[in-house]
mmCIF file with all atom_site columns, all heavy atoms in Angstrom:
data_model
loop_
_atom_site.group_PDB
_atom_site.id
_atom_site.type_symbol
_atom_site.label_atom_id
_atom_site.label_alt_id
_atom_site.label_comp_id
_atom_site.label_asym_id
_atom_site.label_entity_id
_atom_site.label_seq_id
_atom_site.pdbx_PDB_ins_code
_atom_site.Cartn_x
_atom_site.Cartn_y
_atom_site.Cartn_z
_atom_site.occupancy
_atom_site.B_iso_or_equiv
_atom_site.pdbx_formal_charge
_atom_site.auth_seq_id
_atom_site.auth_comp_id
_atom_site.auth_asym_id
_atom_site.auth_atom_id
_atom_site.pdbx_PDB_model_num
ATOM 1   N N   . GLU A 1 55 ? -2.798  11.388 20.311 1.00 0.00 ? 791 GLU A N   1
ATOM 2   C CA  . GLU A 1 55 ? -3.154  11.912 21.699 1.00 0.00 ? 791 GLU A CA  1
ATOM 3   C C   . GLU A 1 55 ? -4.602  11.700 21.803 1.00 0.00 ? 791 GLU A C   1
ATOM 4   O O   . GLU A 1 55 ? -5.469  12.264 21.088 1.00 0.00 ? 791 GLU A O   1
ATOM 5   C CB  . GLU A 1 55 ? -2.810  13.380 21.580 1.00 0.00 ? 791 GLU A CB  1
ATOM 6   C CG  . GLU A 1 55 ? -2.900  14.107 23.021 1.00 0.00 ? 791 GLU A CG  1
ATOM 7   C CD  . GLU A 1 55 ? -4.277  14.537 23.281 1.00 0.00 ? 791 GLU A CD  1
ATOM 8   O OE1 . GLU A 1 55 ? -4.732  15.602 22.564 1.00 0.00 ? 791 GLU A OE1 1
ATOM 9   O OE2 . GLU A 1 55 ? -4.912  14.045 24.226 1.00 0.00 ? 791 GLU A OE2 1
ATOM 10  N N   . ASP A 1 56 ? -4.917  10.777 22.686 1.00 0.00 ? 792 ASP A N   1
ATOM 11  C CA  . ASP A 1 56 ? -6.243  10.181 22.815 1.00 0.00 ? 792 ASP A CA  1
ATOM 12  C C   . ASP A 1 56 ? -7.334  11.077 23.357 1.00 0.00 ? 792 ASP A C   1
ATOM 13  O O   . ASP A 1 56 ? -8.450  11.060 22.974 1.00 0.00 ? 792 ASP A O   1
ATOM 14  C CB  . ASP A 1 56 ? -6.319  8.790  23.470 1.00 0.00 ? 792 ASP A CB  1
ATOM 15  C CG  . ASP A 1 56 ? -5.491  7.799  22.666 1.00 0.00 ? 792 ASP A CG  1
ATOM 16  O OD1 . ASP A 1 56 ? -5.596  7.822  21.392 1.00 0.00 ? 792 ASP A OD1 1
ATOM 17  O OD2 . ASP A 1 56 ? -4.827  6.917  23.265 1.00 0.00 ? 792 ASP A OD2 1
ATOM 18  N N   . LEU A 1 57 ? -6.971  11.856 24.306 1.00 0.00 ? 793 LEU A N   1
ATOM 19  C CA  . LEU A 1 57 ? -7.896  12.696 25.069 1.00 0.00 ? 793 LEU A CA  1
ATOM 20  C C   . LEU A 1 57 ? -8.708  13.729 24.170 1.00 0.00 ? 793 LEU A C   1
ATOM 21  O O   . LEU A 1 57 ? -9.903  13.778 24.177 1.00 0.00 ? 793 LEU A O   1
ATOM 22  C CB  . LEU A 1 57 ? -7.247  13.394 26.240 1.00 0.00 ? 793 LEU A CB  1
ATOM 23  C CG  . LEU A 1 57 ? -8.210  13.984 27.318 1.00 0.00 ? 793 LEU A CG  1
ATOM 24  C CD1 . LEU A 1 57 ? -9.059  12.881 27.920 1.00 0.00 ? 793 LEU A CD1 1
ATOM 25  C CD2 . LEU A 1 57 ? -7.357  14.688 28.429 1.00 0.00 ? 793 LEU A CD2 1
ATOM 26  N N   . SER A 1 58 ? -7.991  14.382 23.348 1.00 0.00 ? 794 SER A N   1
ATOM 27  C CA  . SER A 1 58 ? -8.556  15.293 22.477 1.00 0.00 ? 794 SER A CA  1
ATOM 28  C C   . SER A 1 58 ? -8.691  14.809 21.050 1.00 0.00 ? 794 SER A C   1
ATOM 29  O O   . SER A 1 58 ? -9.150  15.362 20.113 1.00 0.00 ? 794 SER A O   1
ATOM 30  C CB  . SER A 1 58 ? -7.814  16.635 22.348 1.00 0.00 ? 794 SER A CB  1
ATOM 31  O OG  . SER A 1 58 ? -6.551  16.407 21.751 1.00 0.00 ? 794 SER A OG  1
ATOM 32  N N   . ARG A 1 59 ? -8.368  13.413 20.913 1.00 0.00 ? 795 ARG A N   1
ATOM 33  C CA  . ARG A 1 59 ? -8.513  12.706 19.566 1.00 0.00 ? 795 ARG A CA  1
ATOM 34  C C   . ARG A 1 59 ? -7.755  13.336 18.435 1.00 0.00 ? 795 ARG A C   1
ATOM 35  O O   . ARG A 1 59 ? -8.304  13.569 17.386 1.00 0.00 ? 795 ARG A O   1
ATOM 36  C CB  . ARG A 1 59 ? -9.976  12.414 19.281 1.00 0.00 ? 795 ARG A CB  1
ATOM 37  C CG  . ARG A 1 59 ? -10.646 11.664 20.519 1.00 0.00 ? 795 ARG A CG  1
ATOM 38  C CD  . ARG A 1 59 ? -11.937 11.189 20.194 1.00 0.00 ? 795 ARG A CD  1
ATOM 39  N NE  . ARG A 1 59 ? -12.051 10.065 19.182 1.00 0.00 ? 795 ARG A NE  1
ATOM 40  C CZ  . ARG A 1 59 ? -11.624 8.754  19.444 1.00 0.00 ? 795 ARG A CZ  1
ATOM 41  N NH1 . ARG A 1 59 ? -11.120 8.439  20.388 1.00 0.00 ? 795 ARG A NH1 1
ATOM 42  N NH2 . ARG A 1 59 ? -11.891 8.066  18.393 1.00 0.00 ? 795 ARG A NH2 1
ATOM 43  N N   . GLN A 1 60 ? -6.585  13.757 18.755 1.00 0.00 ? 796 GLN A N   1
ATOM 44  C CA  . GLN A 1 60 ? -5.659  14.440 17.687 1.00 0.00 ? 796 GLN A CA  1
ATOM 45  C C   . GLN A 1 60 ? -4.581  13.432 17.340 1.00 0.00 ? 796 GLN A C   1
ATOM 46  O O   . GLN A 1 60 ? -4.071  12.643 18.202 1.00 0.00 ? 796 GLN A O   1
ATOM 47  C CB  . GLN A 1 60 ? -5.219  15.645 18.084 1.00 0.00 ? 796 GLN A CB  1
ATOM 48  C CG  . GLN A 1 60 ? -6.271  16.676 18.290 1.00 0.00 ? 796 GLN A CG  1
ATOM 49  C CD  . GLN A 1 60 ? -5.730  18.067 18.459 1.00 0.00 ? 796 GLN A CD  1
ATOM 50  O OE1 . GLN A 1 60 ? -5.110  18.576 17.477 1.00 0.00 ? 796 GLN A OE1 1
ATOM 51  N NE2 . GLN A 1 60 ? -5.954  18.681 19.616 1.00 0.00 ? 796 GLN A NE2 1
ATOM 52  N N   . LEU A 1 61 ? -3.923  13.619 16.206 1.00 0.00 ? 797 LEU A N   1
ATOM 53  C CA  . LEU A 1 61 ? -2.672  12.976 15.700 1.00 0.00 ? 797 LEU A CA  1
ATOM 54  C C   . LEU A 1 61 ? -1.643  14.074 15.693 1.00 0.00 ? 797 LEU A C   1
ATOM 55  O O   . LEU A 1 61 ? -1.870  15.091 14.889 1.00 0.00 ? 797 LEU A O   1
ATOM 56  C CB  . LEU A 1 61 ? -2.841  12.262 14.436 1.00 0.00 ? 797 LEU A CB  1
ATOM 57  C CG  . LEU A 1 61 ? -1.655  11.546 13.908 1.00 0.00 ? 797 LEU A CG  1
ATOM 58  C CD1 . LEU A 1 61 ? -1.275  10.327 14.888 1.00 0.00 ? 797 LEU A CD1 1
ATOM 59  C CD2 . LEU A 1 61 ? -1.874  11.064 12.546 1.00 0.00 ? 797 LEU A CD2 1
ATOM 60  N N   . TYR A 1 62 ? -0.516  13.872 16.342 1.00 0.00 ? 798 TYR A N   1
ATOM 61  C CA  . TYR A 1 62 ? 0.553   14.851 16.295 1.00 0.00 ? 798 TYR A CA  1
ATOM 62  C C   . TYR A 1 62 ? 1.536   14.285 15.326 1.00 0.00 ? 798 TYR A C   1
ATOM 63  O O   . TYR A 1 62 ? 1.916   13.119 15.306 1.00 0.00 ? 798 TYR A O   1
ATOM 64  C CB  . TYR A 1 62 ? 1.192   15.051 17.519 1.00 0.00 ? 798 TYR A CB  1
ATOM 65  C CG  . TYR A 1 62 ? 0.398   16.005 18.478 1.00 0.00 ? 798 TYR A CG  1
ATOM 66  C CD1 . TYR A 1 62 ? -0.775  15.505 19.138 1.00 0.00 ? 798 TYR A CD1 1
ATOM 67  C CD2 . TYR A 1 62 ? 0.781   17.347 18.644 1.00 0.00 ? 798 TYR A CD2 1
ATOM 68  C CE1 . TYR A 1 62 ? -1.512  16.452 19.900 1.00 0.00 ? 798 TYR A CE1 1
ATOM 69  C CE2 . TYR A 1 62 ? -0.080  18.182 19.322 1.00 0.00 ? 798 TYR A CE2 1
ATOM 70  C CZ  . TYR A 1 62 ? -1.081  17.691 20.067 1.00 0.00 ? 798 TYR A CZ  1
ATOM 71  O OH  . TYR A 1 62 ? -1.839  18.578 20.857 1.00 0.00 ? 798 TYR A OH  1
ATOM 72  N N   . VAL A 1 63 ? 2.121   15.232 14.398 1.00 0.00 ? 799 VAL A N   1
ATOM 73  C CA  . VAL A 1 63 ? 2.984   14.881 13.436 1.00 0.00 ? 799 VAL A CA  1
ATOM 74  C C   . VAL A 1 63 ? 4.288   15.743 13.406 1.00 0.00 ? 799 VAL A C   1
ATOM 75  O O   . VAL A 1 63 ? 4.074   17.022 13.436 1.00 0.00 ? 799 VAL A O   1
ATOM 76  C CB  . VAL A 1 63 ? 2.314   15.059 11.964 1.00 0.00 ? 799 VAL A CB  1
ATOM 77  C CG1 . VAL A 1 63 ? 3.307   14.527 10.902 1.00 0.00 ? 799 VAL A CG1 1
ATOM 78  C CG2 . VAL A 1 63 ? 1.095   14.277 11.914 1.00 0.00 ? 799 VAL A CG2 1
ATOM 79  N N   . ALA A 1 64 ? 5.428   15.248 13.372 1.00 0.00 ? 800 ALA A N   1
ATOM 80  C CA  . ALA A 1 64 ? 6.690   16.031 13.241 1.00 0.00 ? 800 ALA A CA  1
ATOM 81  C C   . ALA A 1 64 ? 7.044   15.833 11.846 1.00 0.00 ? 800 ALA A C   1
ATOM 82  O O   . ALA A 1 64 ? 7.152   14.722 11.326 1.00 0.00 ? 800 ALA A O   1
ATOM 83  C CB  . ALA A 1 64 ? 7.769   15.518 14.223 1.00 0.00 ? 800 ALA A CB  1
ATOM 84  N N   . ASN A 1 65 ? 7.244   16.981 11.096 1.00 0.00 ? 801 ASN A N   1
ATOM 85  C CA  . ASN A 1 65 ? 7.646   16.774 9.644  1.00 0.00 ? 801 ASN A CA  1
ATOM 86  C C   . ASN A 1 65 ? 8.953   17.344 9.390  1.00 0.00 ? 801 ASN A C   1
ATOM 87  O O   . ASN A 1 65 ? 9.730   17.910 10.248 1.00 0.00 ? 801 ASN A O   1
ATOM 88  C CB  . ASN A 1 65 ? 6.556   17.444 8.754  1.00 0.00 ? 801 ASN A CB  1
ATOM 89  C CG  . ASN A 1 65 ? 6.528   19.006 8.788  1.00 0.00 ? 801 ASN A CG  1
ATOM 90  O OD1 . ASN A 1 65 ? 7.428   19.608 9.226  1.00 0.00 ? 801 ASN A OD1 1
ATOM 91  N ND2 . ASN A 1 65 ? 5.488   19.601 8.268  1.00 0.00 ? 801 ASN A ND2 1
ATOM 92  N N   . GLU A 1 66 ? 9.413   17.151 8.192  1.00 0.00 ? 802 GLU A N   1
ATOM 93  C CA  . GLU A 1 66 ? 10.881  17.496 7.768  1.00 0.00 ? 802 GLU A CA  1
ATOM 94  C C   . GLU A 1 66 ? 11.090  19.002 7.823  1.00 0.00 ? 802 GLU A C   1
ATOM 95  O O   . GLU A 1 66 ? 12.188  19.377 7.904  1.00 0.00 ? 802 GLU A O   1
ATOM 96  C CB  . GLU A 1 66 ? 11.065  16.974 6.358  1.00 0.00 ? 802 GLU A CB  1
ATOM 97  C CG  . GLU A 1 66 ? 12.525  16.950 5.972  1.00 0.00 ? 802 GLU A CG  1
ATOM 98  C CD  . GLU A 1 66 ? 12.711  16.236 4.659  1.00 0.00 ? 802 GLU A CD  1
ATOM 99  O OE1 . GLU A 1 66 ? 12.051  16.625 3.705  1.00 0.00 ? 802 GLU A OE1 1
ATOM 100 O OE2 . GLU A 1 66 ? 13.461  15.158 4.701  1.00 0.00 ? 802 GLU A OE2 1
ATOM 101 N N   . ASN A 1 67 ? 9.999   19.793 7.728  1.00 0.00 ? 803 ASN A N   1
ATOM 102 C CA  . ASN A 1 67 ? 10.145  21.257 7.896  1.00 0.00 ? 803 ASN A CA  1
ATOM 103 C C   . ASN A 1 67 ? 10.246  21.817 9.310  1.00 0.00 ? 803 ASN A C   1
ATOM 104 O O   . ASN A 1 67 ? 10.154  22.901 9.680  1.00 0.00 ? 803 ASN A O   1
ATOM 105 C CB  . ASN A 1 67 ? 9.066   22.019 7.204  1.00 0.00 ? 803 ASN A CB  1
ATOM 106 C CG  . ASN A 1 67 ? 9.123   21.899 5.689  1.00 0.00 ? 803 ASN A CG  1
ATOM 107 O OD1 . ASN A 1 67 ? 10.128  21.560 5.113  1.00 0.00 ? 803 ASN A OD1 1
ATOM 108 N ND2 . ASN A 1 67 ? 8.026   22.157 4.944  1.00 0.00 ? 803 ASN A ND2 1
ATOM 109 N N   . ASN A 1 68 ? 10.479  20.736 10.160 1.00 0.00 ? 804 ASN A N   1
ATOM 110 C CA  . ASN A 1 68 ? 10.677  20.989 11.603 1.00 0.00 ? 804 ASN A CA  1
ATOM 111 C C   . ASN A 1 68 ? 9.413   21.619 12.255 1.00 0.00 ? 804 ASN A C   1
ATOM 112 O O   . ASN A 1 68 ? 9.472   22.435 13.175 1.00 0.00 ? 804 ASN A O   1
ATOM 113 C CB  . ASN A 1 68 ? 11.881  21.871 11.861 1.00 0.00 ? 804 ASN A CB  1
ATOM 114 C CG  . ASN A 1 68 ? 13.146  21.179 11.397 1.00 0.00 ? 804 ASN A CG  1
ATOM 115 O OD1 . ASN A 1 68 ? 13.305  19.955 11.614 1.00 0.00 ? 804 ASN A OD1 1
ATOM 116 N ND2 . ASN A 1 68 ? 13.988  21.792 10.734 1.00 0.00 ? 804 ASN A ND2 1
ATOM 117 N N   . MET A 1 69 ? 8.272   21.233 11.780 1.00 0.00 ? 805 MET A N   1
ATOM 118 C CA  . MET A 1 69 ? 6.950   21.775 12.400 1.00 0.00 ? 805 MET A CA  1
ATOM 119 C C   . MET A 1 69 ? 6.306   20.649 13.117 1.00 0.00 ? 805 MET A C   1
ATOM 120 O O   . MET A 1 69 ? 6.378   19.600 12.600 1.00 0.00 ? 805 MET A O   1
ATOM 121 C CB  . MET A 1 69 ? 6.093   22.335 11.378 1.00 0.00 ? 805 MET A CB  1
ATOM 122 C CG  . MET A 1 69 ? 6.590   23.626 10.690 1.00 0.00 ? 805 MET A CG  1
ATOM 123 S SD  . MET A 1 69 ? 5.409   24.429 9.668  1.00 0.00 ? 805 MET A SD  1
ATOM 124 C CE  . MET A 1 69 ? 4.809   23.142 8.544  1.00 0.00 ? 805 MET A CE  1
ATOM 125 N N   . LEU A 1 70 ? 5.651   20.966 14.210 1.00 0.00 ? 806 LEU A N   1
ATOM 126 C CA  . LEU A 1 70 ? 4.706   20.065 14.848 1.00 0.00 ? 806 LEU A CA  1
ATOM 127 C C   . LEU A 1 70 ? 3.353   20.515 14.448 1.00 0.00 ? 806 LEU A C   1
ATOM 128 O O   . LEU A 1 70 ? 2.973   21.629 14.675 1.00 0.00 ? 806 LEU A O   1
ATOM 129 C CB  . LEU A 1 70 ? 4.894   20.208 16.400 1.00 0.00 ? 806 LEU A CB  1
ATOM 130 C CG  . LEU A 1 70 ? 3.930   19.408 17.195 1.00 0.00 ? 806 LEU A CG  1
ATOM 131 C CD1 . LEU A 1 70 ? 4.239   17.917 17.120 1.00 0.00 ? 806 LEU A CD1 1
ATOM 132 C CD2 . LEU A 1 70 ? 4.051   19.793 18.726 1.00 0.00 ? 806 LEU A CD2 1
#
Side-chain angles (χ1 to χ4, degrees):
E791 191 270 294
D792 294 324
L793 196 57
S794 66
R795 304 192 64 76
Q796 293 190 65
L797 180 68
Y798 282 76
V799 182
N801 73 15
E802 195 171 57
N803 288 343
N804 299 320
M805 292 189 307
L806 176 66

